[in-house]
Amino acid sequence: MIYLLQVLILGGIMLSAYFVLRFNDLIASVVCLVIMSLLLSVEYYILQAPDVAIAEAAVGAGLSTAIYVIAIKKSSRWEK
Amino acid sequence: MMAAAGLLFLIILCFIRAILGPTTHDRLVAMDTTNNMVVAVLVVLGAAYNEIIYVDVAIVYAMLSFVSTLYISRYLEVAQ
């Protein structure tokens, strides 16, 4: 049962990491990066490391998203 | 554990919406739904592992996922 969960989560991580690199709209890339970080946080949680999961959720969901959005606001939104 | 697998399947469906979504707002709503479902998965897995500590990760994630949604939607409001 735990293997089915891990296959779903790891497949989602691979797919979202591919689409982070694929999109031309950088805001869509940030959205996919948030989804990748939260799936990674669930994976740390399933591997029974809740402190690493808390740190990953704090950095991935809160901090890095804010920094990326501020950087996109200061520069261009569309990749050329 | 079975309920967590079902919720993860629904997360994959939301992720497909985030990939295919024609506008940025579709992607943002799909990301927000995914965040809330991940909080549900963390609580369900905490009940499955029978550990009271694991619910704290869900509390921290429920606070921080709101921040990322807020940042991206504020960027979209300013950009228009």
Side-chain angles (χ1 to χ4, degrees), chain B residues 4-5 16-18 27 29 32 44-45 47 49 51 54 58 62 69-71 74 78:
Chain B
I16 290 173
R17 184 75 263 170
R27 294 194 172 103
V29 171
D32 196 30
V44 166
L45 280 179
Y49 287 139
E51 298 255 3
Y54 284 15
T69 309
L70 203 66
Y71 258 96
R74 187 167 173 275
V78 170

Side-chain angles (χ1 to χ4, degrees), chain A residues 1 3 5-6 11 21 23-25 27 44 49 51-52 55 58 72 75 77:
Chain A
M1 202 60 230
Y3 294 115
L5 242 69
Q6 294 217 343
L21 298 177
F23 280 135
N24 282 328
D25 188 0
I27 289 292
Y44 287 144
D51 46 350
V52 188
I72 290 172
S75 65
R77 176 177 167 180

Side-chain angles (χ1 to χ4, degrees), chain A residues 34 37 56-66, chain B residues 35 61 64-65 67-69:
Chain A
V34 171
S37 128
E56 171 67 29
V59 172
L63 212 60
S64 77
T65 309
Chain B
N35 280 328
Y61 200 81
L64 289 172
S65 66
V67 174
S68 65
T69 309

Side-chain angles (χ1 to χ4, degrees), chain B:
Chain B
M1 208 65 96
M2 198 75 192
L7 279 170
L8 270 171
F9 181 68
L10 295 179
I11 285 176
I12 297 295
L13 289 185
C14 277
F15 176 57
I16 290 173
R17 184 75 263 170
I19 290 171
L20 294 178
T23 66
T24 312
H25 301 82
D26 288 332
R27 294 194 172 103
L28 186 61
V29 171
M31 190 196 81
D32 196 30
T33 312
T34 313
N35 280 328
N36 290 323
M37 272 192 212
V38 161
V39 173
V41 165
L42 293 185
V43 172
V44 166
L45 280 179
Y49 287 139
N50 220 349
E51 298 255 3
I52 199 70
I53 290 291
Y54 284 15
V55 183
D56 294 347
V57 184
I59 296 173
V60 171
Y61 200 81
M63 284 193 300
L64 289 172
S65 66
F66 177 66
V67 174
S68 65
T69 309
L70 203 66
Y71 258 96
I72 297 178
S73 54
R74 187 167 173 275
Y75 170 78
L76 289 177
E77 187 190 8
V78 170
Q80 277 176 4

Side-chain angles (χ1 to χ4, degrees), chain A residues 14-36:
Chain A
M14 281 175 55
L15 211 63
S16 56
Y18 173 70
F19 278 100
V20 167
L21 298 177
R22 180 78 190 271
F23 280 135
N24 282 328
D25 188 0
L26 292 182
I27 289 292
S29 281
V30 169
V31 168
C32 271
L33 198 64
V34 171
I35 293 177
M36 194 193 93

